[in-house]
Amino acid sequence: MTKLLGVILAGGQASRMGGGDKSLLPLAGRRVIDHVLERLRPQVSDIALNVNGDPSRFAEFRLPVVADSVSEFPGPLAGILAGLDWAAEQKGDYILTVAADTPFFPMDLQNRLEDARLSSGLPIALASTNGQGKLYRHPTFGLWPVSLRGDLRRALAAGVRKVVLWSDEHGTAEALFPNDNYDPFFNINTPEDLVKAEAMQ
């Protein structure tokens, strides 16, 4: 039986928000990360937080905290690697990654990514949406095999930083999610985005 673990990617520097942890900002009477956890928990067996800096600020959540093993904040790929390394220790087969600043992602994210992976025969699956006649991939929302962690470590050491550049080398399936009424992958980058997110409740 496949063991699937969840990883919340919260390792960024939040520069457009003025620094700090975007996931701890208040949203509709709770914090952004509370919304994220509520959606992710039913979809995976266990969850880890990819966070850099002092992990004690997330201690109340009683979740494993895994930091980037690559220095200088190289981006989401480093968080994915940290999650894969943690999952390997837990004898996991795949991780499902979500962004910590995206409180409205689909409740069926895992199911649809898994369906896309299985039907395509490809090892990786990413979420996507349509917008103005163009397909947009959301590379922080993906299904990743633990077996590729060694290759990802080498790619990061070689300077690869863009998620899709690495994932496309191995083959990436896409799961298309509807965004007719709202963008399920709307993420909070700025104070203005936080106001918009409040209005989306």
Side-chain angles (χ1 to χ4, degrees):
M1 184 175 180
T2 300
K3 185 175 181 179
L4 173 68
L5 305 172
V7 177
I8 299 175
L9 301 175
Q13 295 177 289
S15 56
R16 283 182 283 176
M17 189 62 80
D21 294 298
K22 291 185 290 183
S23 62
L24 298 180
L25 293 172
L27 175 64
R30 297 186 291 166
R31 293 158 299 189
V32 174
I33 195 170
D34 293 317
H35 296 269
V36 172
L37 284 167
E38 182 180 59
R39 288 175 173 269
L40 183 59
R41 278 194 171 114
Q43 303 190 52
V44 295
S45 58
D46 290 296
I47 297 172
L49 293 171
N50 165 235
V51 174
N52 294 307
D54 184 2
S56 66
R57 64 195 195 274
F58 290 91
E60 67 178 281
F61 297 100
R62 301 180 183 275
L63 294 172
V65 174
V66 294
D68 294 351
S69 59
V70 182
S71 61
E72 299 180 358
F73 300 99
L77 274 179
I80 293 168
L81 176 60
L84 291 172
D85 285 341
W86 166 73
E89 295 173 358
Q90 311 304 312
K91 300 189 182 332
D93 301 298
Y94 283 83
I95 62 170
L96 175 68
T97 58
V98 301
D101 60 358
T102 308
F104 308 119
F105 66 85
M107 295 293 291
D108 61 350
L109 178 69
Q110 184 271 327
N111 286 337
R112 296 181 69 160
L113 288 175
E114 180 71 357
D115 287 346
R117 183 185 72 81
L118 291 174
S119 63
S120 68
L122 298 172
I124 297 168
L126 296 181
S128 65
T129 52
N130 273 318
Q132 298 178 337
K134 182 179 179 182
L135 190 68
Y136 289 91
R137 289 197 284 186
H138 302 277
T140 52
F141 289 84
L143 200 58
W144 312 90
V146 173
S147 60
L148 286 179
R149 68 191 182 103
D151 186 274
L152 177 52
R153 197 184 321 279
R154 288 187 291 272
L156 280 163
V160 175
R161 294 294 179 262
K162 289 189 177 295
V163 176
V164 294
L165 286 181
W166 178 73
S167 65
D168 283 354
E169 285 187 2
H170 298 280
T172 303
E174 293 182 6
L176 183 63
F177 290 84
N179 59 339
D180 300 326
N181 298 319
Y182 72 99
D183 180 1
F185 301 103
F186 176 85
N187 64 315
I188 299 169
N189 281 319
T190 66
E192 293 76 19
D193 290 337
L194 191 59
V195 174
K196 291 178 183 177
E198 286 282 356
M200 293 169 67
Q201 293 296 315

